[in-house]
């Protein structure tokens, strides 16, 4: 099973700044996925990241706000730009391997 | 568009009691269904999954779930709950189509399980 490491595990950021979250997988994967879990809410898919091409964003999420990089088959970053308190959430990285999706521990972001 | 509903936000049971967590889905074709558990400070862990075949699926930690197409349901059950089962449980649906579909999931709102000693 894939092992996913996310950094940082948590952070407190000032509004108007940006935070880049890193996701490292211990095996090569085609697709990586980024989810957001707002306080008391379920997980919502932000985008799908394919190596070598632009990420595909879900409705309600835009590249200017959540730019994603996918430089190789084991790594991806998600940036939360120009943050506001509404961006306070847990952000999770996920990969699919076989018929199963694996998730990182998540990054707990608080914007003050 | 696909959707998942978990009607119960919070459930409390006594240790040793049976458990059933409800999940209803909306999907235009045969769905791929999953149950995940999220413990405090932990990532999501897959409990079980259904793709096809036997509608009663067994998972880890003594959990099972039954797919009922006529009811569009995929309820999670456990005959005897342990205190360590206290966590948040998420039902999720994905579509057929290959590898990306297993990772591109729609989640329900989650059910928080509290276990009393």
């Amino acid at each position: 099973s894939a092992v996913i490491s996310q950094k940082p595990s948590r952070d407190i950021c000032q509004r108007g700044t940006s935070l880049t979250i890193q996701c490292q997988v211990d095996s090569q994967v085609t697709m990586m996925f980024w989810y957001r879990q707002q306080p008391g809410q379920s997980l919502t898919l932000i985008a799908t990241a394919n190596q070598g091409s632009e990420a595909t964003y879900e409705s309600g999420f835009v590249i200017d706000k959540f730019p994603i990089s996918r430089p190789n088959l084991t790594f991806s970053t998600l940036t939360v730009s120009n943050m506001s308190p509404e961006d306070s959430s847990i952000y999770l990285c996920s990969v699919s391997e076989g018929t199963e999706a694996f998730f990182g521990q998540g990054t707990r972001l608080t914007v003050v | 568009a696909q959707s998942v509903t978990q009607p119960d936000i919070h459930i409390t049971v006594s240790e040793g009691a049976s458990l059933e967590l409800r999940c209803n889905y909306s999907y235009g074709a045969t769905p791929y269904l999953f149950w995940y558990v999220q413990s405090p400070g932990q990532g999501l862990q897959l409990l079980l999954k259904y793709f096809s075949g036997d509608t009663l699926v067994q998972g880890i930690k003594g959990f099972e779930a039954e797919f009922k197409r006529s009811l569009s349901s995929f309820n999670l059950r456990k005959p005897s709950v342990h205190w360590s089962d206290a966590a948040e449980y998420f039902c999720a649906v994905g579509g057929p189509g290959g590898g990306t579909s297993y990772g591109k999931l729609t989640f329900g709102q989650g059910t928080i399980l509290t276990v009393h000693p």
Side-chain angles (χ1 to χ4, degrees):
Chain A
S1 61
V3 177
I4 302 171
S5 302
Q6 269 187 249
K7 291 181 181 179
S9 58
R10 59 178 63 228
D11 207 343
I12 301 173
C13 300
Q14 297 291 323
R15 67 177 67 198
T17 64
S18 297
L19 175 72
T20 295
I21 302 168
Q22 300 179 1
C23 178
Q24 179 76 52
V25 189
D26 68 344
S27 58
Q28 293 185 338
V29 293
T30 304
M31 295 289 185
M32 297 178 77
F33 306 86
W34 287 98
Y35 287 83
R36 180 177 74 180
Q37 186 178 18
Q38 294 179 296
Q41 304 289 318
S42 184
L43 286 81
T44 301
L45 181 64
I46 297 172
T48 302
N50 190 9
Q51 193 265 335
S53 63
E54 276 200 6
T56 302
Y57 290 82
E58 298 298 307
S59 176
F61 298 96
V62 295
I63 187 171
D64 290 345
K65 177 66 175 178
F66 297 102
I68 289 171
S69 78
R70 183 77 201 275
N72 57 52
L73 291 173
T74 64
F75 188 79
S76 177
T77 67
L78 169 76
T79 298
V80 186
S81 303
N82 188 25
M83 289 183 285
S84 67
E86 291 70 35
D87 294 319
S88 297
S89 298
I90 299 173
Y91 292 86
L92 296 105
C93 172
S94 173
V95 304
S96 61
E97 190 174 80
T99 60
E100 186 168 337
F102 297 91
F103 289 83
Q105 302 276 35
T107 296
R108 183 180 294 273
L109 170 63
T110 302
V111 183
V112 297
Chain B
Q2 57 200 48
S3 66
V4 179
T5 301
Q6 293 179 245
D8 304 306
I9 296 173
H10 196 167
I11 283 184
T12 300
V13 299
S14 298
E15 191 169 18
S18 63
L19 171 70
E20 182 169 27
L21 302 182
R22 296 183 291 166
C23 172
N24 294 97
Y25 68 89
S26 173
Y27 191 75
T30 301
Y32 294 166
L33 295 160
F34 307 84
W35 274 99
Y36 284 87
V37 59
Q38 185 178 40
S39 299
Q42 303 290 316
L44 286 163
Q45 182 182 22
L46 180 69
L47 288 175
L48 46 78
K49 58 191 176 187
Y50 172 80
F51 294 148
S52 65
D54 192 347
T55 57
L56 184 64
V57 294
Q58 302 297 321
I60 63 171
K61 304 184 178 186
F63 286 93
E64 67 177 27
E66 186 171 11
F67 170 61
K68 293 186 177 180
R69 184 187 302 275
S70 61
L71 298 178
S72 297
S73 69
F74 188 58
N75 294 351
L76 182 71
R77 300 194 294 249
K78 187 169 185 178
S80 178
V81 171
H82 189 263
W83 64 266
S84 61
D85 293 324
E88 188 161 17
Y89 292 80
F90 292 94
C91 182
V93 63
T100 60
S101 295
Y102 303 127
K104 193 173 179 179
L105 302 176
T106 298
F107 284 84
Q109 300 91 322
T111 298
I112 298 171
L113 174 65
T114 298
V115 181
H116 281 169

